Amino acid sequence: GLLGKEVFAIDGTKIKASNNKKLNFSKKKLVARIAKIDEKITLFVAELEKNDNAEEATAQRVNVEEALASLKKRKEEYEAYLSLLESTGENEISKVDPDSRLMGNNRGGVDVCYNVQSAVDAKHCLAVEVNVTNNPSDHGQLSVMSKRVKKRLKIKRSFTVLADKGYYNGEDLLRCKKNKIVTIVARQKVGREAPDKEYNADKFTYVEGKDCYICPLGQVLKRTGTKESRVYQNKKACEQCPERAKCTTGEFKRLSISHYQRIFTATDKRLAENLELYRRRQTIVEHPLGTIKRSMNGYYFLLRTIKKVRGEVALLFFAYNLKRVQNILGQKELMKRLAALLLCLYFGKAKTVARLHLLASEGA
């Protein structure tokens, strides 16, 4: 579709939670620790039995009994965590902040974090909407954040959002389309590349009326399998093809096409037509994230649980927006507007307008 007048960039960043990663446990980690404790318990019990009749080993026996009691207590704690994970269906649990999760960070490592989503307007680099999730993936967040922007600014017409390849998800892109939100999103790398990139799946042309694909050499790949599956192939053509080694490592080329292929094709086309606009994405959305992390020391959270963290994030972005508005309008104009806003909150809008007119007439 045509690009909307308003443009927003959406991105997520991982911010460290108030929870050490040593106190974050997955099922695998818990099972391994319980097994290790069982080994130690076996050794301690054997040592107790060995020194059972030795009078001179009384002090040592007390130490062993204390260590054994500590191990059993820790084992009970781990078993309780494991039972909780099995009952909730979660994959991990954090001891200090129960809502935080282990995520990959921007430095290439992992830490216990929250995923902070932000939507920033392209004109002034103001954060118009923020949200916090404990899901490490950005999949599904594009439509969520776009709808929040639409509601926050009460936008009734179409508008454009820019996002990186982490948001490239068929179901999510389709939701945006249904909500009249124009998406410019980079495509993720092809899952299985051909030996020669000129024979990747995106080089095959789809023929709408015939429901088939044309390969770069002009051969027709017809749809096979059930009605639900979308698999296209032509074994006979591939067997006789002189370029088969460049196209596939198998006996023939097999295209498995997503149900969201149409939305993918439209998104890819829109990206190719608006590369100059897309290149601005990073400078738009990284402005508040960089300022908050570097200038405002917002690279870790002080509060715990997702509800409190959302409040902390709201304050961080509010402070950023104030600084940004001050740079745009100047301090005097900002203070003037804040004073007017305060009067509105105190007296109500109608009385404030009348009061401002009175002050203006007296000043004249």
Side-chain angles (χ1 to χ4, degrees):
L2 296 173
L3 297 186
K5 187 177 180 181
E6 293 93 349
V7 178
F8 304 91
I10 292 174
D11 201 5
T13 188
K14 310 301 192 299
I15 296 182
K16 190 179 182 303
S18 179
N19 193 106
N20 193 301
K21 63 182 176 182
K22 292 180 180 179
L23 298 176
N24 172 273
F25 306 102
S26 63
K27 289 182 181 179
K28 186 178 179 180
K29 186 189 284 189
L30 288 168
V31 169
R33 291 202 176 187
I34 291 170
K36 198 170 183 179
I37 288 173
D38 284 336
E39 289 177 9
K40 288 184 178 180
I41 288 174
T42 302
L43 291 172
F44 280 137
V45 169
E47 191 172 343
L48 284 174
E49 290 175 351
K50 181 180 177 182
N51 299 323
D52 193 37
N53 298 320
E55 294 181 3
E56 66 276 6
T58 304
Q60 184 180 352
R61 181 183 178 85
V62 170
N63 290 336
V64 171
E65 286 177 345
E66 287 177 354
L68 191 59
S70 177
L71 283 172
K72 287 180 178 178
K73 185 179 179 181
R74 201 183 313 163
K75 181 184 176 181
E76 288 175 1
E77 183 181 6
Y78 290 157
E79 286 176 335
Y81 290 152
L82 191 59
S83 177
L84 182 62
L85 287 177
E86 288 173 351
S87 63
T88 59
E90 295 284 342
N91 295 318
E92 61 182 278
I93 187 169
S94 297
K95 187 176 179 181
V96 180
D97 182 349
D99 295 333
S100 59
R101 295 291 181 267
L102 198 66
M103 303 180 188
N105 56 38
N106 297 331
R107 299 181 300 278
V110 292
D111 217 329
V112 182
C113 302
Y114 283 100
N115 186 354
V116 178
Q117 296 286 319
S118 61
V120 183
D121 89 294
K123 188 175 181 180
H124 297 297
C125 288
L126 286 167
V128 297
E129 189 57 70
V130 293
N131 192 27
V132 179
T133 174
N134 56 11
N135 187 341
S137 173
D138 291 331
H139 277 190
Q141 291 299 318
L142 188 65
S143 60
V144 171
M145 292 302 295
S146 298
K147 285 174 71 176
R148 289 171 72 103
V149 169
K150 193 172 187 177
K151 185 178 179 181
R152 174 75 65 185
L153 301 180
K154 298 179 180 178
I155 302 174
K156 294 183 179 180
R157 56 186 177 275
S158 176
F159 62 92
T160 303
V161 294
L162 313 174
D164 65 23
K165 61 185 179 181
Y167 294 86
Y168 196 89
N169 174 268
E171 187 177 355
D172 208 23
L173 290 168
L174 186 58
R175 286 198 203 103
C176 288
K177 183 181 178 182
K178 289 178 179 178
N179 284 308
K180 296 181 181 179
I181 297 163
V182 182
T183 54
I184 300 179
V185 187
R187 188 187 183 96
Q188 296 161 342
K189 287 185 178 180
V190 178
R192 290 184 180 180
E193 289 194 343
D196 187 329
K197 291 183 180 180
E198 291 302 313
Y199 293 90
N200 280 342
D202 59 344
K203 303 298 181 181
F204 287 65
T205 306
Y206 182 67
V207 182
E208 187 91 30
K210 297 181 179 180
D211 190 20
C212 66
Y213 277 85
I214 308 297
C215 83
L217 296 180
Q219 295 294 337
V220 178
L221 278 70
K222 294 182 179 180
R223 185 168 176 172
T224 61
T226 63
K227 292 182 179 180
E228 288 76 21
S229 65
R230 297 193 66 196
V231 177
Y232 298 82
Q233 60 192 34
N234 187 337
K235 293 182 181 180
K236 189 175 180 180
C238 288
E239 287 173 0
Q240 301 170 359
C241 182
E243 303 291 322
R244 187 177 66 184
K246 294 181 180 180
C247 188
T248 179
T249 55
E251 294 180 3
F252 58 91
K253 187 76 169 184
R254 188 173 184 271
L255 292 180
S256 295
I257 305 300
S258 168
H259 290 286
Y260 299 105
Q261 188 58 41
R262 288 186 180 180
I263 194 75
F264 287 150
T265 302
T267 304
D268 295 344
K269 183 182 177 184
R270 196 157 46 245
L271 174 68
E273 292 171 350
N274 297 278
L275 283 175
E276 188 176 342
L277 175 60
Y278 181 77
R279 290 189 186 103
R280 291 182 55 210
R281 181 200 65 82
Q282 197 169 7
T283 58
I284 296 165
V285 79
E286 291 295 340
H287 194 287
L289 296 179
T291 304
I292 285 169
K293 283 188 171 183
R294 301 293 180 183
S295 302
M296 299 166 63
N297 293 321
Y299 51 86
Y300 63 93
F301 289 120
L302 299 172
L303 302 180
R304 297 166 183 168
T305 71
I306 196 166
K307 183 179 179 180
K308 292 179 181 179
V309 165
R310 280 174 177 159
E312 189 172 350
V313 166
L315 288 173
L316 280 169
F317 277 87
F318 176 69
Y320 163 81
N321 278 344
L322 275 180
K323 289 179 70 174
R324 185 69 188 144
V325 171
Q326 180 176 297
N327 290 336
I328 296 167
L329 298 177
Q331 187 176 7
K332 287 185 178 180
E333 182 63 23
L334 173 62
M335 296 307 295
K336 179 181 175 182
R337 296 193 185 194
L338 286 176
L341 179 62
L342 185 62
L343 286 171
C344 282
L345 293 172
Y346 187 77
F347 293 108
K349 187 175 180 180
K351 290 183 178 179
T352 299
V353 172
R355 191 177 183 87
L356 289 173
H357 279 304
L358 179 62
L359 290 172
S361 61
E362 288 176 353

